[in-house]
PDB file of all heavy atoms in Angstrom:
ATOM      1  N   GLU A  12     -10.752  -2.491  19.347  1.00 83.00           N
ATOM      2  CA  GLU A  12     -11.102  -1.617  18.182  1.00 83.00           C
ATOM      3  C   GLU A  12      -9.771  -1.284  17.499  1.00 83.00           C
ATOM      4  O   GLU A  12      -8.766  -1.124  18.161  1.00 83.00           O
ATOM      5  CB  GLU A  12     -11.743  -0.325  18.751  1.00 83.00           C
ATOM      6  CG  GLU A  12     -13.166  -0.523  19.254  1.00 83.00           C
ATOM      7  CD  GLU A  12     -14.085  -1.025  18.306  1.00 83.00           C
ATOM      8  OE1 GLU A  12     -14.141  -0.447  17.171  1.00 83.00           O
ATOM      9  OE2 GLU A  12     -14.837  -2.039  18.505  1.00 83.00           O
ATOM     10  N   TYR A  20      -4.583   4.112   8.053  1.00 93.00           N
ATOM     11  CA  TYR A  20      -3.855   3.372   7.077  1.00 93.00           C
ATOM     12  C   TYR A  20      -4.897   2.546   6.248  1.00 93.00           C
ATOM     13  O   TYR A  20      -4.786   2.594   5.061  1.00 93.00           O
ATOM     14  CB  TYR A  20      -2.825   2.454   7.753  1.00 93.00           C
ATOM     15  CG  TYR A  20      -2.340   1.422   6.775  1.00 93.00           C
ATOM     16  CD1 TYR A  20      -1.319   1.778   5.757  1.00 93.00           C
ATOM     17  CD2 TYR A  20      -2.707   0.047   6.845  1.00 93.00           C
ATOM     18  CE1 TYR A  20      -0.862   0.823   4.917  1.00 93.00           C
ATOM     19  CE2 TYR A  20      -2.250  -0.850   5.932  1.00 93.00           C
ATOM     20  CZ  TYR A  20      -1.339  -0.562   5.003  1.00 93.00           C
ATOM     21  OH  TYR A  20      -0.842  -1.427   4.111  1.00 93.00           O
ATOM     22  N   MET A  28      -7.333   1.921  -3.393  1.00 92.00           N
ATOM     23  CA  MET A  28      -7.751   0.773  -4.144  1.00 92.00           C
ATOM     24  C   MET A  28      -9.255   0.912  -4.655  1.00 92.00           C
ATOM     25  O   MET A  28      -9.723  -0.055  -5.265  1.00 92.00           O
ATOM     26  CB  MET A  28      -7.770  -0.486  -3.247  1.00 92.00           C
ATOM     27  CG  MET A  28      -6.392  -0.840  -2.757  1.00 92.00           C
ATOM     28  SD  MET A  28      -5.568  -1.821  -3.976  1.00 92.00           S
ATOM     29  CE  MET A  28      -6.631  -3.181  -4.242  1.00 92.00           C
ATOM     30  N   VAL A  31     -10.059  -0.264  -8.184  1.00 92.00           N
ATOM     31  CA  VAL A  31      -9.983  -1.730  -8.378  1.00 92.00           C
ATOM     32  C   VAL A  31     -11.093  -2.462  -7.512  1.00 92.00           C
ATOM     33  O   VAL A  31     -11.661  -3.421  -8.163  1.00 92.00           O
ATOM     34  CB  VAL A  31      -8.597  -2.223  -7.800  1.00 92.00           C
ATOM     35  CG1 VAL A  31      -8.437  -3.672  -7.745  1.00 92.00           C
ATOM     36  CG2 VAL A  31      -7.421  -1.606  -8.636  1.00 92.00           C
ATOM     37  N   GLU A  34     -14.382  -3.021  -9.230  1.00 95.00           N
ATOM     38  CA  GLU A  34     -14.384  -4.048 -10.230  1.00 95.00           C
ATOM     39  C   GLU A  34     -14.371  -5.487  -9.733  1.00 95.00           C
ATOM     40  O   GLU A  34     -14.372  -6.418 -10.474  1.00 95.00           O
ATOM     41  CB  GLU A  34     -13.267  -3.952 -11.280  1.00 95.00           C
ATOM     42  CG  GLU A  34     -13.304  -2.535 -11.957  1.00 95.00           C
ATOM     43  CD  GLU A  34     -12.093  -2.314 -12.781  1.00 95.00           C
ATOM     44  OE1 GLU A  34     -11.117  -3.218 -12.931  1.00 95.00           O
ATOM     45  OE2 GLU A  34     -11.869  -1.133 -13.334  1.00 95.00           O
ATOM     46  N   THR A  46      -4.366  -8.859   0.258  1.00 96.00           N
ATOM     47  CA  THR A  46      -3.287  -8.988  -0.653  1.00 96.00           C
ATOM     48  C   THR A  46      -2.528  -7.759  -0.940  1.00 96.00           C
ATOM     49  O   THR A  46      -1.376  -7.654  -0.905  1.00 96.00           O
ATOM     50  CB  THR A  46      -3.805  -9.646  -1.944  1.00 96.00           C
ATOM     51  OG1 THR A  46      -4.475 -10.908  -1.673  1.00 96.00           O
ATOM     52  CG2 THR A  46      -2.712  -9.888  -2.976  1.00 96.00           C
ATOM     53  N   ALA A  47      -3.324  -6.630  -1.086  1.00 94.00           N
ATOM     54  CA  ALA A  47      -2.687  -5.318  -1.346  1.00 94.00           C
ATOM     55  C   ALA A  47      -1.864  -4.969  -0.133  1.00 94.00           C
ATOM     56  O   ALA A  47      -0.650  -4.417  -0.284  1.00 94.00           O
ATOM     57  CB  ALA A  47      -3.793  -4.310  -1.681  1.00 94.00           C
ATOM     58  N   LEU A  51       2.098  -4.202  -0.335  1.00 93.00           N
ATOM     59  CA  LEU A  51       2.587  -3.000   0.171  1.00 93.00           C
ATOM     60  C   LEU A  51       3.566  -3.065   1.312  1.00 93.00           C
ATOM     61  O   LEU A  51       4.642  -2.462   1.220  1.00 93.00           O
ATOM     62  CB  LEU A  51       1.390  -2.055   0.581  1.00 93.00           C
ATOM     63  CG  LEU A  51       1.688  -0.674   1.140  1.00 93.00           C
ATOM     64  CD1 LEU A  51       2.431   0.186   0.039  1.00 93.00           C
ATOM     65  CD2 LEU A  51       0.413   0.064   1.443  1.00 93.00           C
ATOM     66  N   LEU A  53       5.392  -5.569   1.992  1.00 95.00           N
ATOM     67  CA  LEU A  53       6.697  -6.245   1.410  1.00 95.00           C
ATOM     68  C   LEU A  53       7.480  -5.175   0.682  1.00 95.00           C
ATOM     69  O   LEU A  53       8.697  -5.184   0.905  1.00 95.00           O
ATOM     70  CB  LEU A  53       6.251  -7.339   0.393  1.00 95.00           C
ATOM     71  CG  LEU A  53       7.405  -8.165  -0.156  1.00 95.00           C
ATOM     72  CD1 LEU A  53       7.666  -9.357   0.820  1.00 95.00           C
ATOM     73  CD2 LEU A  53       6.971  -8.782  -1.390  1.00 95.00           C
ATOM     74  N   GLY A  54       6.800  -4.333  -0.110  1.00 93.00           N
ATOM     75  CA  GLY A  54       7.575  -3.298  -0.699  1.00 93.00           C
ATOM     76  C   GLY A  54       8.232  -2.313   0.223  1.00 93.00           C
ATOM     77  O   GLY A  54       9.437  -1.907  -0.039  1.00 93.00           O
ATOM     78  N   SER A  61      16.651  -2.862   1.768  1.00 97.00           N
ATOM     79  CA  SER A  61      17.499  -2.927   0.515  1.00 97.00           C
ATOM     80  C   SER A  61      16.990  -1.936  -0.457  1.00 97.00           C
ATOM     81  O   SER A  61      16.454  -2.187  -1.618  1.00 97.00           O
ATOM     82  CB  SER A  61      17.308  -4.355  -0.065  1.00 97.00           C
ATOM     83  OG  SER A  61      17.620  -5.386   0.830  1.00 97.00           O
ATOM     84  N   GLU A  64      17.889  -2.487  -4.253  1.00 96.00           N
ATOM     85  CA  GLU A  64      17.060  -3.553  -4.949  1.00 96.00           C
ATOM     86  C   GLU A  64      15.651  -2.983  -5.182  1.00 96.00           C
ATOM     87  O   GLU A  64      15.027  -3.331  -6.253  1.00 96.00           O
ATOM     88  CB  GLU A  64      17.008  -4.786  -4.024  1.00 96.00           C
ATOM     89  CG  GLU A  64      18.214  -5.708  -4.193  1.00 96.00           C
ATOM     90  CD  GLU A  64      19.301  -5.243  -3.187  1.00 96.00           C
ATOM     91  OE1 GLU A  64      19.066  -4.224  -2.443  1.00 96.00           O
ATOM     92  OE2 GLU A  64      20.353  -5.852  -3.241  1.00 96.00           O
ATOM     93  N   ALA A  65      15.137  -2.275  -4.228  1.00 94.00           N
ATOM     94  CA  ALA A  65      13.813  -1.629  -4.447  1.00 94.00           C
ATOM     95  C   ALA A  65      13.878  -0.703  -5.708  1.00 94.00           C
ATOM     96  O   ALA A  65      12.946  -0.691  -6.497  1.00 94.00           O
ATOM     97  CB  ALA A  65      13.440  -0.820  -3.185  1.00 94.00           C
ATOM     98  N   LEU A  69      11.623  -1.211  -9.156  1.00 90.00           N
ATOM     99  CA  LEU A  69      10.799  -0.080  -9.728  1.00 90.00           C
ATOM    100  C   LEU A  69      11.244   0.073 -11.206  1.00 90.00           C
ATOM    101  O   LEU A  69      10.297   0.414 -12.015  1.00 90.00           O
ATOM    102  CB  LEU A  69      10.914   1.258  -8.995  1.00 90.00           C
ATOM    103  CG  LEU A  69      10.157   1.341  -7.696  1.00 90.00           C
ATOM    104  CD1 LEU A  69      10.441   2.671  -6.961  1.00 90.00           C
ATOM    105  CD2 LEU A  69       8.698   1.254  -7.988  1.00 90.00           C
ATOM    106  N   VAL A  71      12.175  -2.160 -13.173  1.00 91.00           N
ATOM    107  CA  VAL A  71      11.589  -3.295 -13.917  1.00 91.00           C
ATOM    108  C   VAL A  71      10.095  -3.041 -14.140  1.00 91.00           C
ATOM    109  O   VAL A  71       9.557  -3.297 -15.166  1.00 91.00           O
ATOM    110  CB  VAL A  71      11.781  -4.616 -13.159  1.00 91.00           C
ATOM    111  CG1 VAL A  71      11.069  -5.733 -13.750  1.00 91.00           C
ATOM    112  CG2 VAL A  71      13.329  -4.995 -13.149  1.00 91.00           C
ATOM    113  N   ILE A  72       9.439  -2.588 -13.010  1.00 89.00           N
ATOM    114  CA  ILE A  72       7.940  -2.409 -13.062  1.00 89.00           C
ATOM    115  C   ILE A  72       7.591  -1.184 -13.958  1.00 89.00           C
ATOM    116  O   ILE A  72       6.695  -1.374 -14.701  1.00 89.00           O
ATOM    117  CB  ILE A  72       7.455  -2.187 -11.602  1.00 89.00           C
ATOM    118  CG1 ILE A  72       7.653  -3.375 -10.786  1.00 89.00           C
ATOM    119  CG2 ILE A  72       6.043  -1.715 -11.658  1.00 89.00           C
ATOM    120  CD1 ILE A  72       7.467  -3.073  -9.289  1.00 89.00           C
ATOM    121  N   GLU A  75       9.341   3.497 -18.055  1.00 89.00           N
ATOM    122  CA  GLU A  75       9.247   4.842 -18.473  1.00 89.00           C
ATOM    123  C   GLU A  75       9.388   5.863 -17.373  1.00 89.00           C
ATOM    124  O   GLU A  75       8.727   5.727 -16.331  1.00 89.00           O
ATOM    125  CB  GLU A  75       7.856   5.057 -19.113  1.00 89.00           C
ATOM    126  CG  GLU A  75       7.647   4.105 -20.418  1.00 89.00           C
ATOM    127  CD  GLU A  75       8.635   4.468 -21.523  1.00 89.00           C
ATOM    128  OE1 GLU A  75       8.957   5.599 -21.773  1.00 89.00           O
ATOM    129  OE2 GLU A  75       9.105   3.455 -22.087  1.00 89.00           O
ATOM    130  N   GLN A  77       8.379   8.837 -16.957  1.00 90.00           N
ATOM    131  CA  GLN A  77       7.092   9.548 -16.672  1.00 90.00           C
ATOM    132  C   GLN A  77       6.204   8.618 -15.755  1.00 90.00           C
ATOM    133  O   GLN A  77       5.646   9.175 -14.846  1.00 90.00           O
ATOM    134  CB  GLN A  77       6.427   9.864 -17.946  1.00 90.00           C
ATOM    135  CG  GLN A  77       5.039  10.584 -17.684  1.00 90.00           C
ATOM    136  CD  GLN A  77       4.318  10.988 -19.016  1.00 90.00           C
ATOM    137  OE1 GLN A  77       4.867  10.739 -20.097  1.00 90.00           O
ATOM    138  NE2 GLN A  77       3.196  11.550 -18.839  1.00 90.00           N
ATOM    139  N   GLN A  81       5.004   9.362 -11.857  1.00 93.00           N
ATOM    140  CA  GLN A  81       3.637   9.365 -11.432  1.00 93.00           C
ATOM    141  C   GLN A  81       3.492   8.422 -10.215  1.00 93.00           C
ATOM    142  O   GLN A  81       2.791   8.763  -9.198  1.00 93.00           O
ATOM    143  CB  GLN A  81       2.690   8.915 -12.564  1.00 93.00           C
ATOM    144  CG  GLN A  81       1.320   8.822 -12.213  1.00 93.00           C
ATOM    145  CD  GLN A  81       0.736  10.222 -11.753  1.00 93.00           C
ATOM    146  OE1 GLN A  81       0.931  11.227 -12.454  1.00 93.00           O
ATOM    147  NE2 GLN A  81       0.118  10.302 -10.615  1.00 93.00           N
ATOM    148  N   ALA A  90       1.333   8.031   1.369  1.00 94.00           N
ATOM    149  CA  ALA A  90       2.026   8.147   2.666  1.00 94.00           C
ATOM    150  C   ALA A  90       1.461   9.381   3.440  1.00 94.00           C
ATOM    151  O   ALA A  90       1.265   9.273   4.730  1.00 94.00           O
ATOM    152  CB  ALA A  90       3.536   8.333   2.446  1.00 94.00           C
TER     153      ALA A  90
END
Side-chain angles (χ1 to χ4, degrees):
E12 290 297 314
Y20 168 76
M28 296 279 302
V31 172
E34 299 172 7
T46 301
L51 178 58
L53 188 84
S61 304
E64 284 84 1
L69 280 175
V71 169
I72 294 168
E75 300 295 320
Q77 181 178 357
Q81 181 62 51

